[in-house]
Structure formats: C-alpha cells, structure tokens
Amino acid sequence: DTLDWYTFYRPVLGLVAATWGDYPEYMVNSNLCESIVRVQPDYSVAPGVTDFTVSDDFKTYTYTIRDGAKFWDGSPVTTDDVLFSIKANTSPPFGAAFAQVAEQIASMEASGDKVITITLKEPNINFNSLMTGPTGKVYQKAQAEAAGDKWGSPEKGIMCTGPYKMGTWDPANSL
C-alpha cells in the first residue's frame, strides 16, 4: 500500500526530474515516471514507453508508443505527450540543465499516429542512452500545461505512466 524512500540529505523538492538534477528527485521520479526507453542491468537500452529503431547512420531515432501505454488517470500516451515531454525535459524553464541534448536535435515530429521521429544534426551512437533518464521522461502534456509554473509541485504534481503514482505530499515530511 505504501513505499518508503530515504532521500538522504533532504526531502524531494519537485517531481519534474530534469528541473532539479539531484538524487532525491531522480530517485523518486524514476519510480513514478517511465522514460521513452530504459537502461537494463547490463547497460543496454530497451523499450520503455516506446519501442524504438535507430538508423544505420545513428542520425534518426524512431520511437513508437507501446500499445496500451496509459497515464495513471487511464488516458493513453500520445505523440503530443512524448514531444512535449522531450522538449520540456531539454529546454528552459524545466529542462535547462539538459539543453545540450536539445542542441543535438535537428528535427522532432510526430510521423505517425503513435510514432515520433527525431533526426539529429550529427550522428550520435549514444543518443538513445540519453533518453533513458530525465531527458526521456514522459509526462502528460494536458496536466503539465494546466499546472503551469506549479507543474511538479506539491499543489499540482505530475501525471506519468510508472509503477507508482503520487498520493499526498507534504514537502517537509512525506510523499
């Protein structure tokens, strides 16, 4: 019914991992929110919210949303959610710490009903690895936009697809 996390030296300050870039937020967010791809124990990259293909020249990464991928509220994950999330995770104000990822992208678009295509400016064999962490977290666009600058806060929270979901949050005591 509950899960206790020990966040070491301080409580969690926000739930949009890319904003904080610190252990307490990463630890909790990684259990709440899935990334488009995930890292395996052997450090290989495997499907997450999406399946993926990579072009032979490592410039085009195609992500297809898994059948049945849903947010905690039961709504399906859409290409708009994935595109919104990558942009939010890699650009100000929420993802400024990961701007170097956004700088690698030449174009990013929905290329099908459940397909997102990212074309890089230059080949990068490691780009998929970058999508396993905070830069690839998938959030619900509608909830984030409705929350505005309170997105990820105790007042507004987040909406994700992960194995646990946010309940009550007292920033000084518990989440």
Side-chain angles (χ1 to χ4, degrees):
D1 292 339
T2 65
L3 178 67
D4 293 329
W5 282 300
Y6 176 61
T7 59
F8 295 94
Y9 59 95
R10 65 167 174 76
V12 173
L13 300 175
L15 293 179
V16 179
T19 302
W20 297 97
D22 202 2
Y23 186 74
E25 290 76 23
Y26 285 169
M27 181 180 59
V28 173
N29 182 278
S30 67
N31 285 282
L32 295 176
C33 303
E34 293 179 285
S35 294
I36 58 174
V37 292
R38 65 182 75 190
V39 66
Q40 298 298 299
D42 67 356
Y43 298 105
S44 63
V45 177
V49 174
T50 69
D51 290 316
F52 64 91
T53 59
V54 181
S55 66
D56 291 339
D57 66 358
F58 295 99
K59 281 184 75 176
T60 304
Y61 289 76
T62 305
Y63 300 99
T64 303
I65 299 169
R66 286 183 291 121
D67 287 339
K70 294 185 185 302
F71 291 105
W72 301 325
D73 67 359
S75 63
V77 175
T78 68
T79 56
D80 282 346
D81 295 314
V82 174
L83 291 168
F84 164 82
S85 297
I86 295 170
K87 185 175 181 185
N89 293 334
T90 60
S91 57
F94 295 101
F98 297 101
Q100 74 279 10
V101 175
E103 291 169 3
Q104 297 178 44
I105 299 172
S107 66
M108 183 170 61
E109 64 184 357
S111 52
D113 185 41
K114 297 174 85 173
V115 181
I116 299 93
T117 301
I118 298 176
T119 303
L120 304 180
K121 295 174 184 173
E122 308 222 350
N124 183 346
I125 195 169
N126 294 314
F127 184 78
N128 231 9
S129 295
L130 298 173
M131 293 292 111
T132 65
T135 56
K137 294 294 180 184
V138 177
Y139 302 97
Q140 186 184 64
K141 179 181 178 181
Q143 187 275 335
E145 288 179 341
D149 64 357
K150 298 280 189 191
W151 182 41
S153 71
E155 298 91 353
K156 298 294 182 174
I158 54 176
M159 180 64 64
C160 290
T161 65
Y164 301 101
K165 69 180 184 176
M166 186 181 132
T168 59
W169 182 8
D170 171 0
N173 186 31
S174 67
L175 167 64

